[in-house]
Amino acid sequence: MPMPDTLHLSASAARAVAIAAQGLDKRPKKATRSAVLDAIRRMNALQIDTISVVNRSPYFVLWSRLGHYKPQWIDELLAEGQLFEYWSHEACFLPIEDFALYRHRMLGAEDMGWRYNRAWAKKHSDIMEKTLAFVRDNGPVRSADFRRTGGQKGGWWEWKPEKRALETLFSAGELMIARRHNFHRVYDIRERVLPSWSDDQLPSPDQVYRQLVLKAVRALGIAPARWIPDYFRTKKADTLPHITALVGEGQLVSARVEGWTEEVYVHPDNLPAVHKAIAGKLRPSLTTLLSPFDPLVWHRERALHMFGFDYRIECYTPAPKRRYGYFVLPVLHHNNLVGRLDAKAHRSTGIFEVKALYTEPGVVFDEECARAVAEAIYYCAQWHGTPQVVLGLAEPAEAGTMISSYCNALREQQQKHNT
């Protein structure tokens, strides 16, 4: 099919493409184990975070896309070697076929800041050697397998030496995460976790950056050059020079978005979605809650530019300085981010507490939107085993009233169905 010189999209069409590229336009008919792996491959990186006030982020990100699925599937895929863990956007679950793209980071780990403290590793080379030898001789270990010999519990700088050695060896690629046990890392030597790998397979740095550019653009759906390095946290100087060459080779396509001043780029795999969006036929239909660490919103500048959504992750902000709350979940409704809510799952009492819900300025929170958001909240609460939704503050209050009413009605329907 002949292609125009430049594709032109409306801002709404660009949002639809970005949402579809992330698998957030609609859910599969059934959440399966293979769908979990497909979703991670589509995102290319599933960020790991330990905060569990609602649910740990990697599990929540997949629920947003798949609905009710079994979280243990992620652990199984990791243990089977279809996923691996490493530093990408941050600490992430990654498709095993992308291991070669991260091997350069492992071999150059001294440039990874706090993740690999070169001075500490040199000073404690004896601990590093003993820890590696212990794992090699005794098999997979957890940090807890080493007794604390001094110091205090706290931040990473206060870890017991063996814990720091494990993490340092992990960053350097000498150890990998063989599996997780109650979400705790289980370390083993790389040769046992990934016996098929040889550094003879290592691609050149240019090949790596080209592939990461292509993967980032495909995952973003549509992106100006300045958004691309953030996705995998690559350096701009290493990333941006490849874009022009990839366009010239036809591996990326240039486009324009109404109201945006910069040229944007599209991966050829996303061209069918782009054409549907231009024709007004790509209409995201999903309403869902997002983790603060969801790829759709983890880049604050991108969320603001594309959705007008000024989002700061506040769980690391001192309580008096928070505007919206500790663990605030963006609300995606079809083609836009329409609100945010501060939530907590109280599993012991079966209560899903929405401490506060805020609608975005200019959003018309009519009955259709309120019903869809209420369903998203209720089914999220159900998945967490906390089917009773309790809503506190709502701005505006009318939105809260409608959502509370719909959530109560959904619970009553479920109770009748169960009896």
Side-chain angles (χ1 to χ4, degrees):
M1 181 176 66
M3 295 290 298
D5 291 338
T6 303
L7 296 166
H8 292 271
L9 296 88
S10 66
S12 177
R15 289 197 299 273
V17 172
I19 290 168
Q22 281 290 318
L24 284 164
D25 54 328
K26 57 185 177 182
R27 282 188 174 132
K29 292 181 180 179
K30 185 178 181 181
T32 62
R33 194 169 177 273
S34 61
V36 168
L37 185 57
D38 289 343
I40 296 171
R41 285 173 170 161
R42 191 170 193 167
M43 293 181 285
N44 291 296
L46 177 60
Q47 185 171 337
I48 300 167
D49 193 89
T50 59
I51 296 172
S52 57
V53 63
V54 177
N55 205 325
R56 290 187 174 95
S57 183
Y59 302 126
F60 199 99
V61 167
L62 289 171
W63 175 85
S64 299
R65 289 155 175 76
L66 304 176
H68 289 34
Y69 78 100
K70 296 180 180 180
Q72 65 263 32
W73 287 339
I74 304 178
D75 303 323
E76 292 172 4
L77 291 167
L78 176 66
E80 292 170 7
Q82 298 198 65
L83 300 176
F84 74 104
E85 288 189 36
Y86 199 63
W87 301 108
S88 180
H89 182 81
E90 286 292 342
C92 290
F93 292 114
L94 304 160
I96 195 61
E97 57 267 25
D98 288 350
F99 180 83
L101 302 180
Y102 291 90
R103 185 61 178 151
H104 278 289
R105 291 190 186 185
M106 299 174 187
L107 296 174
E110 63 268 17
D111 297 326
M112 295 177 66
W114 66 265
R115 300 176 182 89
Y116 183 98
N117 188 310
R118 188 177 186 179
W120 187 92
K122 185 177 181 179
K123 181 179 178 180
H124 298 89
S125 59
D126 58 332
I127 296 175
M128 297 274 286
E129 292 171 5
K130 289 178 181 178
T131 303
L132 184 60
F134 182 89
V135 179
R136 182 177 290 113
D137 295 341
N138 294 278
V141 300
R142 300 169 301 156
S143 170
D145 294 331
F146 295 95
R147 294 179 60 190
R148 174 172 286 278
T149 57
Q152 299 176 352
K153 294 182 179 181
W156 66 267
W157 58 90
E158 294 173 335
W159 284 344
K160 55 191 172 185
E162 294 85 358
K163 169 64 173 175
R164 290 199 65 180
L166 288 171
E167 285 296 305
T168 300
L169 290 163
F170 165 71
S171 292
E174 297 294 331
L175 298 180
M176 292 181 67
I177 308 306
R179 62 184 183 275
R180 282 193 174 245
H181 179 73
N182 294 331
F183 207 69
H184 295 289
R185 286 172 162 175
V186 178
Y187 304 81
D188 201 355
I189 60 171
R190 186 187 70 254
E191 292 84 356
R192 281 199 290 257
V193 177
L194 193 61
S196 62
W197 175 258
S198 166
D199 282 344
D200 293 340
Q201 307 169 50
L202 194 66
S204 70
D206 279 350
Q207 290 173 322
V208 169
Y209 288 118
R210 283 167 61 90
Q211 285 301 309
L212 290 177
V213 167
L214 291 171
K215 286 177 176 290
V217 175
R218 185 172 59 193
L220 290 167
I222 193 161
R226 60 191 167 91
W227 293 355
I228 297 172
D230 174 80
Y231 201 83
F232 297 116
R233 295 283 169 86
T234 52
K235 295 178 181 178
K236 292 180 181 179
D238 295 325
T239 305
L240 300 182
H242 295 286
I243 296 173
T244 301
L246 290 168
V247 172
E249 296 166 13
Q251 296 195 62
L252 289 179
V253 177
S254 300
R256 289 284 180 179
V257 177
E258 180 184 4
W260 297 17
T261 58
E262 301 166 83
E263 190 173 37
V264 298
Y265 301 97
V266 176
H267 192 283
D269 287 356
N270 289 330
L271 285 176
V274 168
H275 289 293
K276 285 182 68 175
I278 291 173
K281 297 179 179 179
L282 184 65
R283 301 186 182 96
S285 59
L286 179 62
T287 300
T288 191
L289 310 180
L290 303 178
S291 161
F293 305 101
D294 194 288
L296 194 71
V297 295
W298 70 23
H299 187 189
R300 186 181 183 192
E301 178 191 338
R302 174 161 49 94
L304 180 60
H305 189 86
M306 180 166 279
F307 295 98
F309 192 75
D310 190 1
Y311 186 54
R312 182 188 297 274
I313 297 172
E314 295 186 296
C315 48
Y316 305 117
T317 301
K321 296 183 178 181
R322 292 179 195 141
R323 166 66 178 89
Y324 295 107
Y326 178 75
F327 200 73
V328 175
L329 312 177
V331 182
L332 176 68
H333 176 56
H334 299 177
N335 199 35
N336 210 354
L337 294 170
V338 299
R340 61 191 87 197
L341 57 93
D342 185 22
K344 183 173 183 178
H346 300 272
R347 291 172 178 81
S348 61
T349 58
I351 293 174
F352 191 85
E353 180 187 11
V354 179
K355 297 180 180 180
L357 182 145
Y358 307 89
T359 62
E360 288 300 289
V363 170
V364 178
F365 224 81
D366 56 18
E367 286 198 14
E368 183 277 330
C369 181
R371 184 187 296 272
V373 172
E375 288 179 353
I377 294 172
Y378 178 73
Y379 290 120
C380 179
Q382 262 202 329
W383 185 64
H384 286 92
T386 53
Q388 184 180 349
V389 177
V390 176
L391 178 61
L393 171 70
E395 294 182 4
E398 294 81 3
T401 300
M402 287 191 289
I403 288 172
S404 289
S405 176
Y406 287 132
C407 283
N408 290 335
L410 287 165
R411 189 176 183 221
E412 289 174 6
Q413 289 175 11
Q414 187 64 46
Q415 289 173 334
K416 288 180 181 178
H417 176 75
N418 291 341
T419 56

